[in-house]
């Protein structure tokens, strides 16, 4: 990726202005780390920050709050729009934030595109971070070059966002992702950062499977963190009431995530069992409101093409909701989990989703058991303090 002349000049000016104001800081203790978490996906970085702080580390989270989800952060890097005025305002705020991104023991990027900027502008910022901090790590947490590449080879996964068996899933979202990541400058930036950084953290089995073949020595799987102290358990209701099925729908991404198929199966089930099912639907609502809606539900329908529960499903499981979604054996194997099987695993088809949902309705006693297992599963594998300890160990191991 070749940085534009304007971006390079701008970065030189920024560095010149701040050179006299900041020295490279040294941690007060070898056991205390100064950490910058840059970017956000589904509250991963903020939750990790809380775990690190509980261990005594100094942490700054700089992000856009994951767009409309509006997760907490210490430095707000939200970009209002791609319009000229908003772009200039955003560039100014990024420039103003750069002095606070120096002197860290660890910088972790949520993604190769860690700010809402084009790759040509991100590359000099990455190089700035690399020069002025001790270590830089890349998160394998979502859409990127290696994820697209693995999905399209139709061999890494039996099914994914990009394939079902040997057939490639084609839709407008995938067309865009292929153009941007596989064949475009985002992919070039991704390959450069992955090769240059000190280490790569994969948060799910799928992301580990796509990075490890390329970077076996520097890729480490660490589960996503959940802050159990902030979890409110679902509100139980009499068994005589209808079972509440909760589904979150992101407008314009329902086909990509498979929620279109899951929702159709749920509607058909509700038509057949109108006295036993209640549908709770959330469409692109902020995290706080979404969280409250889950509190009154029993079952969550999550991503159809996933092998694993991600942050949304894990938050629901911590509350005691039963998750219908990704629960393949690869997920349990990478965690070393031999006993618990709390997730209702579904294959990417309407018929399988419908059958698994109907089975829950016909055997409501299973919901209580799976609910208890779900809570135990999250506490065992995703407690944010335990996860933070694993991050610290990995960061320190990369010399």
């Amino acid at each position: 990726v070749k940085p534009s002349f304007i971006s390079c000049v701008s970065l030189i000016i920024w560095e010149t202005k701040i050179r006299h104001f900041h020295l490279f800081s040294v941690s007060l203790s070898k056991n205390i780390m100064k950490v910058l978490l840059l970017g956000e996906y589904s509250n991963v970085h903020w939750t990790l920050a809380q775990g690190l702080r509980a261990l005594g580390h100094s942490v700054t989270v700089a992000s856009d709050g994951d767009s409309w989800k509006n997760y907490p952060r210490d430095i707000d890097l939200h970009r209002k729009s791609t319009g000229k005025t908003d772009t200039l305002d955003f560039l100014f705020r990024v420039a103003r934030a750069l002095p606070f991104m120096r002197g860290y023991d660890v910088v972790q990027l949520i993604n190769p595109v860690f700010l809402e900027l084009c790759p040509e502008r991100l590359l000099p910022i990455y190089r700035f971070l690399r020069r002025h901090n001790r270590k830089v790590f890349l998160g394998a947490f979502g859409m990127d070059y290696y994820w697209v590449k693995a999905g399209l080879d139709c061999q890494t996964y039996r099914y994914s966002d990009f394939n079902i068996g040997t057939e490639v899933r084609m839709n407008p979202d995938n067309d865009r992702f292929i153009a941007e990541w596989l064949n475009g400058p985002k992919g070039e930036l991704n390959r450069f950062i992955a090769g240059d950084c000190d280490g790569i953290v994969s948060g799910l089995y799928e992301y580990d499977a796509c990075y490890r073949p390329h970077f076996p020595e520097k890729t480490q799987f660490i589960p996503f963190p959940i802050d159990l102290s902030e979890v409110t358990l679902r509100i139980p209701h009499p068994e005589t009431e209808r079972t509440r099925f909760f589904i979150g729908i992101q407008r314009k991404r329902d086909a990509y995530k498979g929620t279109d198929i899951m929702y159709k199966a749920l509607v058909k089930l509700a038509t057949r069992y109108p006295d036993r099912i209640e549908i709770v639907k959330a469409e692109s609502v902020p995290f706080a409101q979404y969280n409250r809606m889950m509190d009154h539900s029993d079952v969550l329908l999550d991503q159809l093409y996933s092998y694993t529960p991600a942050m949304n499903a894990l938050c629901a499981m911590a509350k005691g909701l039963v998750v219908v979604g990704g629960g393949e054996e690869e997920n349990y194997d990478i965690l070393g989990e031999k006993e618990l099987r709390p997730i209702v695993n579904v294959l990417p088809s309407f018929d399988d989703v419908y059958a698994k949902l109907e089975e829950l309705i016909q055997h409501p006693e299973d919901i209580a058991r799976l609910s208890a297992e779900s809570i135990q599963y999250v506490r065992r594998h995703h407690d944010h303090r335990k996860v933070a300890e694993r991050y610290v160990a990995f960061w320190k191991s990369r010399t």
Side-chain angles (χ1 to χ4, degrees):
V1 179
K2 295 181 179 179
S4 69
F5 175 77
I6 293 176
S7 65
C8 287
V9 170
S10 299
L11 191 60
I12 291 171
I13 292 173
W14 295 343
E15 289 193 50
T16 301
K17 287 183 178 180
I18 65 178
R19 188 172 292 119
H20 301 293
F21 293 93
H22 275 263
L23 298 174
F24 197 92
S25 67
V26 179
S27 299
L28 296 177
S29 167
K30 291 183 179 180
N31 294 321
I32 301 301
M33 303 185 79
K34 186 179 180 185
V35 180
L36 171 65
L37 303 176
L38 185 51
E40 186 61 279
Y41 277 167
S42 299
N43 217 29
V44 169
H45 267 175
W46 183 258
T47 308
L48 174 60
Q50 298 298 80
L52 291 167
R53 287 165 181 158
L55 299 177
H57 301 288
S58 173
V59 189
T60 300
V61 178
S63 80
D64 66 350
D66 200 5
S67 188
W68 51 267
K69 297 176 185 177
N70 198 31
Y71 293 114
R73 59 272 197 193
D74 302 304
I75 299 176
D76 181 22
L77 296 176
H78 175 67
R79 182 174 180 173
K80 294 180 181 178
S81 76
T82 56
K84 184 176 180 180
T85 301
D86 287 339
T87 297
L88 290 173
D89 172 71
F90 180 65
L91 289 172
F92 173 75
R93 286 188 288 112
V94 170
R96 190 170 58 184
L98 279 176
F100 302 98
M101 298 184 186
R102 296 160 57 98
Y104 287 89
D105 298 303
V106 168
V107 176
Q108 179 163 290
L109 310 177
I110 198 73
N111 184 267
V113 178
F114 50 90
L115 295 172
E116 287 192 79
L117 291 170
C118 63
E120 292 81 0
R121 293 194 178 188
L122 285 172
L123 180 58
I125 295 176
Y126 170 78
R127 285 178 166 153
F128 172 89
L129 296 169
R130 200 80 169 103
R131 282 196 302 273
H132 296 291
N133 299 283
R134 290 182 178 175
K135 299 178 185 178
V136 177
F137 291 81
L138 174 64
F141 301 144
M143 181 61 61
D144 64 20
Y145 168 82
Y146 295 95
W147 169 237
V148 176
K149 180 178 175 62
L152 291 174
D153 71 21
C154 298
Q155 296 178 3
T156 304
Y157 315 109
R158 295 184 297 280
Y159 58 86
S160 72
D161 293 342
F162 291 92
N163 77 291
I164 298 179
T166 59
E167 294 186 11
V168 173
R169 293 181 59 222
M170 300 306 298
N171 56 58
D173 278 329
N174 283 355
D175 291 344
R176 176 167 56 87
F177 293 141
I178 291 169
E180 292 177 349
W181 285 103
L182 196 66
N183 303 318
K186 287 184 178 180
E188 193 175 345
L189 176 68
N190 191 168
R191 293 193 297 274
F192 174 78
I193 293 178
D196 181 74
C197 70
D198 293 289
I200 299 165
V201 179
S202 58
L204 297 176
Y205 162 78
E206 292 98 313
Y207 302 137
D208 196 79
C210 67
Y211 267 90
R212 189 167 297 280
H214 301 279
F215 306 99
E217 301 300 323
K218 64 195 293 187
T219 299
Q220 177 67 48
F221 168 74
I222 303 178
F224 284 146
I226 299 294
D227 186 349
L228 299 172
S229 69
E230 294 189 353
V231 171
T232 55
L233 295 178
R234 71 184 181 96
I235 300 170
H237 55 271
E239 293 182 2
T240 54
E241 291 189 10
R242 292 180 294 176
T243 301
R244 299 186 180 111
F245 288 82
F246 181 84
I247 185 167
I249 297 176
Q250 294 186 35
R251 301 184 188 103
K252 300 181 180 179
R253 297 199 71 192
D254 59 338
Y256 173 73
K257 294 294 185 182
T259 47
D260 57 339
I261 294 174
M262 300 184 95
Y263 184 65
K264 289 176 183 176
L266 185 57
V267 169
K268 180 180 178 180
L269 195 73
T271 302
R272 183 170 182 179
Y273 301 95
D275 297 330
R276 299 166 70 176
I277 292 177
E278 179 182 345
I279 299 175
V280 181
K281 182 171 69 169
E283 292 194 41
S284 300
V285 299
F287 175 69
Q289 181 182 347
Y290 186 95
N291 212 25
R292 289 192 297 270
M293 294 174 74
M294 276 201 295
D295 289 344
H296 297 271
S297 303
D298 304 299
V299 180
L300 170 74
L301 279 69
D302 197 44
Q303 299 184 33
L304 181 61
Y305 303 103
S306 176
Y307 278 38
T308 53
M311 288 295 286
N312 180 50
L314 292 171
C315 287
M317 293 172 71
K319 291 174 175 289
L321 276 75
V322 176
V323 167
V324 176
E328 294 284 359
E329 283 303 306
E330 287 89 343
N331 166 65
Y332 298 112
D333 289 343
I334 200 169
L335 291 169
E337 176 55 62
K338 304 299 183 184
E339 302 168 352
L340 302 174
R341 293 294 184 273
I343 304 159
V344 179
N345 186 50
V346 290
L347 299 177
S349 74
F350 175 91
D351 290 342
D352 193 63
V353 173
Y354 182 85
K356 298 293 176 55
L357 293 176
E358 187 172 43
E359 188 173 351
L360 278 178
I361 287 298
Q362 293 175 345
H363 300 279
E365 67 278 5
D366 288 345
I367 293 179
R369 175 181 58 82
L370 293 172
S371 173
E373 281 196 16
S374 296
I375 295 171
Q376 186 179 358
Y377 173 94
V378 174
R379 290 177 177 173
R380 180 178 293 181
H381 299 292
H382 296 278
D383 179 278
H384 71 318
R385 292 194 186 197
K386 295 178 183 178
V387 170
E389 289 174 350
R390 294 181 62 172
Y391 267 93
V392 171
F394 178 56
W395 290 337
K396 288 183 176 180
S397 73
R398 298 298 299 172
T399 57

